[in-house]
Amino acid sequence: MTDEPSPDWDPRAPDVLADQIAAYDQLRARCPVAHSEFLGWSVLRHDDVVRVLDDPQTFSNDVPHRLTVPNGMDPPDHTEFRRVNDAYFTADLMAAFEPACRRIAADLVYTLPRGVATDVMPALAEVFALRVQNSFLGWPSELEEPLRRWTAKNRAATLAQDRPALAAIAVEFDGFIRDLLAARRQAATGAPDDLTTRLLGEHVWGRPMTDDELVSLLRNWTVGELSTISASVGILAHHLAVHPATQHLLRGDPTLIGAANDEILRMHAPLIANRRVTTRPVDVGGQLIGAGERVTVLWASANRDESVFGDPDEFRVDRDPADNLVYGRGIHVCPGAPLARLELRVLVEELLARTTELSSPAHLEPTNAHYPGSGFATLPVVLR
């Protein structure tokens, strides 16, 4: 490993946390491969990020401190576990789940107050993510509030890099899942016919998956769902509230909602970054990075690179979808992308179909979420 270089920036500085998207835009212009003690080497340009994503041999995903299925694996392990993962996100399963997803979205939108400012983060975004995930996996509604509290604790400990707290939080979450698996095993043939029960029969390398592997896979699905989907709902709601023209377009042609969601999330990433570690010395964007060094892929910057997207804040539904990295790229493309796209499409469809207007109250400003979160911590919106 090379000597520790001088930092180019501090990802946790107050001015960065106050507006992460603007901070990354400024950093990309002056230092497209930037070093910090917190994130190692941050890669900000689109072309450089694509280079990292397309070379998993050089930029390894095997970086977590605990087993992470499948995201924290490299081939051949990643290939085998990704095979299991992807069987749960097929087009047939998504179509079968859509009615339940739509009921959840419709019920939530129906209960939101009309004509007054409502913080849609706790009232819509967070509860939608929780209820949809529980429904998809067949988990009991009693887990909704414990999972909500767990997500908040996990976000705070990650920002603080409080490793003892993170370890305790991980054990707490794993306990939820182990209890669910144990209950299904005890029920035997009386277990509910859902995806969590189905997972108990999965095999890798010709053997049954271990409980550690099952817990890790379910943790990966759930943590990503609860944080990223709730952030995405907030980002989409905010964009619609402050851009009446986009609202009008999508109300007039709901078939554009899927492409519009991807474009809005390109402009304002729901997931800030992912980690890699180098397996050999490598040049990225003119910066020599040694073997064994941390590399952070900053989605929130790459998807706003002017050299690819021109004005990054220009809303266009006709962009080449291959350029949009909101769900990643390559062998580690988001494992739950089909479900995420379904959920967000259905939610926006129901939100627009059951309202006549979304607006942002002039007297109340949203507050931004802090790393590792994105989007908004609070988001007042008026529904009519």
Side-chain angles (χ1 to χ4, degrees):
M1 181 178 289
T2 60
D3 293 337
E4 189 76 4
S6 299
D8 298 306
W9 69 308
D10 179 1
R12 293 181 289 183
D15 59 326
V16 174
L17 294 179
D19 190 341
Q20 295 181 91
I21 304 300
Y24 302 151
D25 284 348
Q26 295 168 12
L27 182 62
R28 182 176 63 253
R30 70 174 179 84
C31 189
V33 181
H35 192 270
S36 66
E37 181 180 352
F38 183 45
L39 296 178
W41 294 103
S42 293
V43 182
L44 291 99
R45 289 191 302 209
H46 190 278
D47 286 351
D48 293 333
V49 166
V50 167
R51 157 91 182 284
V52 171
L53 302 179
D54 286 350
D55 186 3
Q57 290 78 29
T58 301
F59 301 94
S60 169
N61 262 48
D62 190 10
V63 295
H65 298 285
R66 64 181 186 274
L67 178 68
T68 304
V69 178
N71 289 14
M73 294 175 160
D74 293 330
D77 289 341
H78 174 267
T79 307
E80 179 70 355
F81 283 93
R82 187 65 191 249
R83 174 188 61 78
V84 172
N85 179 101
D86 291 358
Y88 290 79
F89 297 94
T90 63
D92 286 347
L93 283 175
M94 297 303 99
F97 181 60
E98 181 167 341
C101 181
R102 191 171 297 280
R103 284 193 298 273
I104 293 168
D107 288 348
L108 283 171
V109 173
Y110 177 78
T111 61
L112 291 174
R114 300 305 198 262
V116 297
T118 301
D119 184 354
V120 299
M121 292 311 296
L124 177 64
E126 293 170 7
V127 68
F128 176 72
L130 283 162
R131 289 183 184 172
V132 168
Q133 180 69 359
N134 283 1
S135 178
F136 181 68
L137 293 173
W139 291 2
S141 59
E142 291 79 11
L143 265 183
E144 186 176 307
E145 187 54 35
L147 284 174
R148 185 201 292 264
R149 293 195 300 268
W150 181 90
T151 302
K153 288 190 292 185
N154 186 59
R155 185 181 299 122
T158 302
L159 175 62
Q161 285 295 282
D162 185 339
R163 301 235 173 255
L166 284 168
I169 290 165
V171 169
E172 179 184 3
F173 183 82
D174 292 358
F176 296 148
I177 301 179
R178 290 183 190 278
D179 288 346
L180 290 166
L181 297 178
R184 281 163 168 74
R185 287 197 176 102
Q186 185 174 6
T189 57
D193 182 16
D194 57 32
L195 297 190
T196 301
T197 300
R198 176 177 156 186
L199 268 174
L200 290 173
E202 292 292 353
H203 287 66
V204 290
W205 308 119
R207 61 160 175 83
M209 286 183 66
T210 67
D211 273 12
D212 284 348
E213 291 162 349
L214 291 168
V215 167
S216 179
L217 182 64
L218 286 165
R219 184 199 310 122
N220 185 56
W221 290 355
T222 306
V223 173
E225 176 80 10
L226 299 187
S227 58
T228 310
I229 291 298
S230 61
S232 296
V233 171
I235 292 165
L236 295 171
H238 176 260
H239 186 94
L240 293 172
V242 300
H243 293 90
T246 304
Q247 261 193 79
H248 180 74
L249 173 70
L250 300 184
R251 290 182 189 278
D253 187 357
T255 66
L256 296 175
I257 287 174
N261 286 350
D262 283 1
E263 172 68 350
I264 294 166
L265 298 178
R266 176 198 63 76
M267 293 187 281
H268 189 160
L271 178 65
I272 293 292
N274 279 139
R275 298 175 297 167
R276 302 290 193 272
V277 64
T278 52
T279 61
R280 62 177 179 86
V282 61
D283 184 291
V284 180
Q287 174 64 57
L288 180 62
I289 300 175
E293 297 207 39
R294 293 175 297 148
V295 172
T296 302
V297 173
L298 274 176
W299 312 110
S301 170
N303 251 355
R304 295 177 53 82
D305 190 332
E306 296 84 354
S307 68
V308 176
F309 301 104
D311 178 357
D313 291 310
E314 181 186 5
F315 172 83
R316 287 176 46 192
V317 293
D318 63 343
R319 295 187 189 274
D320 183 350
D323 291 334
N324 193 334
L325 303 176
V326 67
Y327 292 105
R329 173 185 168 119
I331 67 170
H332 294 291
V333 67
C334 176
L339 178 62
R341 282 193 164 103
L342 165 69
E343 292 168 351
L344 297 175
R345 173 179 60 79
V346 166
L347 187 280
V348 173
E349 286 173 354
E350 293 299 320
L351 188 59
L352 295 179
R354 296 174 183 275
T355 62
T356 57
E357 181 188 25
L358 307 178
S359 61
S360 181
H363 61 292
L364 293 173
E365 292 290 330
T367 56
N368 293 328
H370 286 175
Y371 188 95
S374 183
F376 302 94
T378 65
L379 178 60
V381 174
V382 178
L383 287 74
R384 289 186 170 84

